[in-house]
Amino acid sequence: MHIIENGNVAAALGVLLCRANVIAAYPITPQTPLTEKLSEYVESGEMKAEYIPVESEHSALAVCIAASSAGARAFTATSANGLLYMHEQVQWAAGARLPLVMCVVNRAVGAPWNVWNDQQDSISQRDTGWIQMYCCDHQQIIDSVIKAYWLAEKVSIPIMVCYDGYILSHTYMPFEVPDQEKVDAFLPPFRPDYALNHEEPANLNTVTLPDVRMDVRGEIAHGYMEIRYLLQEEMRTSLTVVAEAEKRFTDIFGRGGDPFIEPYLCDDAEYIAVGLGSLTYQLRVSVDVLRKEGIMVGVMGIRFYRPFPDVAIANALKGKKGVIVFEKALSYGYEGALVSDLKSALYEHLAGTGALPVVQNFILGIGGRDIRTEDLTQTLRAATKSRVAKEPVWIGLKI
Amino acid sequence: MQAKTTILSLPTEEFVHPGTRACTGCGLAIAYRVGLKAMGKDTILVVPPSCLTVLQGLFPIASTKLACLNVTFASTAAAASGILAALKVQGKDKIKVVAWAGDGGTSDIGLQALSGAAERGENFIYLCYDNEGYMNTGVQRSGTTPIGALTANTPFKGKLQQKKDVPAIMAAHNLSYIATCSAAYPLDLFDKIRKCVDMPGTKYFHIHIPCPPGWGYDPKYGIKIGRLAVETGYYDLYEIVNGEFKLTAASEKLVEKRKLKPVREYFRSQSRFRIITDEQIADIQNSIDAKWATYYKKDE
Ligand SMILES: Cc1ncc(C[n+]2csc(CCOP(=O)(O)OP(=O)(O)O)c2C)c(N)n1
Ligand code: SF4
Ligand SMILES: [Mg+2]
């Protein structure tokens, strides 16, 4: 069924279709309409779930962590300071290897207060051990939620489905809502290897030593370091599972594409603009303009930021003259986090091959600063002529 | 009224293996052992970082035979809510959820989550074991450390502020059941847990826990000191059932006897109070006498 709705409703419909059965949330703009919608589904009986209106985001994730440990399919969503307030629990969920799905409706973080869009909130959680997906439109939001549950439960790693506040959360767009039967065929009920229960009592997340230790049967159990190594290892190998998820999804729903990147006019391009989220669709407009001027430019969206699809990215950018990375967040004191990661992937896979592109970094849209397509076009035009600067350049800055 | 449990009628099944990592003479070890007997095996526990985390053992060996989720410091009551929700959606509502947290994890960092869960009426038992300080991190002051106690971060002057009255805070949430207990009276704890298990909403327990290294006394005197706190009228055992306050057990008997031991005996039994002056003790004695005068009056 095709409908016209906003991005938050697209996310809520995804959660409904996935039959999540424990939802906990705390209000923060621009996430609120999403969780209000879920409370509507639950109160009206349309959704068979427990909705817990907790007293904080820290508790929202605590509820999800505990519910998931006890065998429920849990969901929460937040933005900005809500995500930061959760941070301890974000790390905990990954360490405990719980397949949670959380929507992050991207918003700038304080101080000073600002409720508008950028991506500093989710980018600041990069190293927490969560998988991060970024969406460009409403179809991707609903589809990503569905894929995320399958993937999270397959690899026992929690997933953030990130989409831009207002630009996606509050705008209306047509998208297809998949049939429940298809979603059920794609996503089987959640059956974890172990869920807390009184018949097989286990003590989860106990103090774990720096070194391995023998259990009462004489078998060697992991130390903390082994447990953390496995998170990294399985996060890396989950790249294969991401590809599997995309294939399954395409087979059942009839839509899909490259699981890791979303290229637009990249094949014959000499220069590629790179970004996360809705910005890359806006960049397509600039690419169309520049193509008419004969400038060979394309744009590539990155769908998974963690695990970082380094091979897919390096392959797509191999032999290009230049890569122009646009970011709505940065690692203060250096440059955008994405550009650093991207350069490390290029160095790893292309150094010495003569196919290493020149990389430039532009920071924009911080705290909801208007991103004018004209500015994007001009920036891209200039960046294809010569390297603008070594340091990241801020677009639209009025200083 | 249910018959009182005696040492002979206490269930023999143990849920805590012997030889835990608790210190010698730890009051928590007593309360935990007996408290789990009262809960029985159809129980899931929630535990934040505290001495109890240590008591429970190091991975992969656990000293507790019940299912247990270790959670972050501030999230105990929210985590209990999450387990309850998961059990409910799976049709396993018969299983009990019990949170055991220290006084720091309750009166300070966990208070918000506890208040939230209590306000939502989450159906679980929350037990705060009050050893009156952050013991696991080396005896720092907490909200429930009593006035006058020396701790690692009130090293010379002792704590200058009053003990936070957490049961009173919980009473403001209109709970079906609130009880104070002491590790020195474990059977009373057993009976109170059994009594409230099927009551609706959140049930709150505050358990006074003598702690040899934190309080400074010879481990063999733990029960004696726990009892002194009650017998001097300093720490009262009571229940608040649907808003009705009633002294219970040993404290109830003190009302009949109309005779309290001098609180001085309690203060002079622990080195954490070594700098407290006789004048300060006299002040505390006065406030105890005033409080008990109201109890006696009610009893007339
Ligand atoms: C967020 C956070 N802050 C601080 C700590 C360190 N910490 C662990 S246990 C503990 C003390 C616990 O005190 P209490 O709850 O009274 O239990 P006790 O150790 O006295 O049994 C502290 C401060 C932590 N684990 N997490
Ligand atoms: S420090 Fe106190 S409460 Fe903690 S284990 Fe030792 S005796 Fe028990
Ligand atoms: Mg304590």
Side-chain angles (χ1 to χ4, degrees), chain A residues 66 70 89 198 202-204 207 213, chain B residues 42 58-59 68 70 72 79 90:
Chain A
Q89 303 287 64
H198 60 300
N203 209 312
L204 302 183
V207 177
R213 186 169 186 236
Chain B
D42 296 347
L58 305 171
F59 183 76
C68 176
N70 290 277
T72 59
Q90 297 174 87

Side-chain angles (χ1 to χ4, degrees), chain B residues 108 123 197 298:
Chain B
D108 295 335
N123 184 7
V197 154
K298 265 196 225 146

Side-chain angles (χ1 to χ4, degrees), chain A residues 98-344:
Chain A
L98 298 168
L100 304 177
V101 172
M102 164 160 71
C103 283
V104 177
V105 189
N106 290 117
R107 162 182 156 180
V109 301
W113 279 120
N114 175 296
V115 300
W116 294 274
N117 166 250
D118 69 32
Q119 295 172 340
Q120 192 67 34
D121 51 1
S122 57
I123 293 295
S124 76
Q125 305 298 303
R126 180 189 68 176
D127 300 336
T128 54
W130 283 56
I131 291 172
Q132 283 197 354
M133 300 168 78
Y134 284 82
C135 307
C136 299
D137 66 10
H138 297 25
Q139 192 67 59
Q140 285 187 10
I141 295 174
I142 186 167
D143 291 355
S144 296
V145 168
I146 298 167
K147 285 178 207 168
Y149 272 110
W150 186 86
L151 177 61
E153 289 171 12
K154 200 85 182 161
V155 298
S156 297
I157 296 173
I159 302 188
M160 287 180 206
V161 175
C162 310
Y163 57 91
D164 290 306
Y166 308 102
I167 300 168
L168 295 179
S169 68
H170 284 62
T171 55
Y172 284 69
M173 268 192 220
F175 58 93
E176 209 229 1
V177 181
D179 295 339
Q180 184 69 62
E181 302 83 75
K182 283 192 178 172
V183 177
D184 290 342
F186 177 77
L187 180 68
F190 177 41
R191 301 252 183 275
D193 291 342
Y194 176 78
L196 269 181
N197 75 86
H198 60 300
E199 270 146 16
E200 300 163 85
N203 209 312
L204 302 183
N205 315 321
T206 38
V207 177
T208 302
L209 296 171
D211 212 337
V212 298
R213 186 169 186 236
M214 209 179 275
D215 71 10
V216 285
R217 286 176 218 86
E219 282 165 30
I220 297 291
H222 292 323
Y224 179 89
M225 191 148 134
E226 284 67 30
I227 290 172
R228 287 286 163 167
Y229 166 80
L230 287 173
L231 174 58
Q232 158 69 0
E233 195 54 22
E234 287 164 29
M235 180 84 118
R236 289 303 293 163
T237 51
S238 74
L239 282 165
T240 335
V241 191
V242 169
E244 196 187 327
E246 190 70 16
K247 184 170 179 311
R248 250 179 85 80
F249 193 90
T250 314
D251 289 348
I252 293 177
F253 299 96
R255 69 176 165 266
D258 187 300
F260 307 115
I261 56 172
E262 205 182 5
Y264 177 74
L265 302 181
C266 283
D267 286 348
D268 60 349
E270 294 174 344
Y271 296 88
I272 310 256
V274 174
L276 294 168
S278 63
L279 175 66
T280 57
Y281 279 19
Q282 193 180 351
L283 277 162
R284 290 180 179 191
V285 182
S286 299
V287 164
D288 289 344
V289 171
L290 295 172
R291 283 276 174 157
K292 287 201 190 102
E293 296 172 14
I295 300 176
M296 298 304 278
V297 48
V299 54
M300 184 175 95
I302 293 178
R303 299 173 73 179
F304 279 81
Y305 183 38
R306 280 294 179 276
F308 195 60
D310 56 319
V311 175
I313 289 171
N315 282 343
L317 300 179
K318 186 174 173 181
K320 304 294 179 195
K321 285 191 183 150
V323 177
I324 304 120
V325 183
F326 292 89
E327 294 186 71
K328 291 184 187 176
L330 76 164
S331 171
Y332 284 92
Y334 195 32
E335 59 189 2
L338 173 61
V339 81
S340 294
D341 287 335
L342 182 135
K343 282 193 283 194
S344 115

Side-chain angles (χ1 to χ4, degrees), chain B residues 21-29 51 129 131 135-136 209-214:
Chain B
R21 287 180 176 268
C23 312
T24 308
C26 172
L28 169 61
C51 283
Y129 70 90
N131 52 20
M135 298 318 182
N136 186 44
I209 299 285
C211 161

Side-chain angles (χ1 to χ4, degrees), chain B residues 9 18 27 30 32 63 73 111 136 138-139 169 220 280 289 292:
Chain B
S9 61
I30 300 169
Y32 197 54
S63 65
F73 206 14
L111 191 60
N136 186 44
V139 197
I169 295 172
K220 71 183 174 203
Q280 283 173 302
D289 292 344
W292 279 79

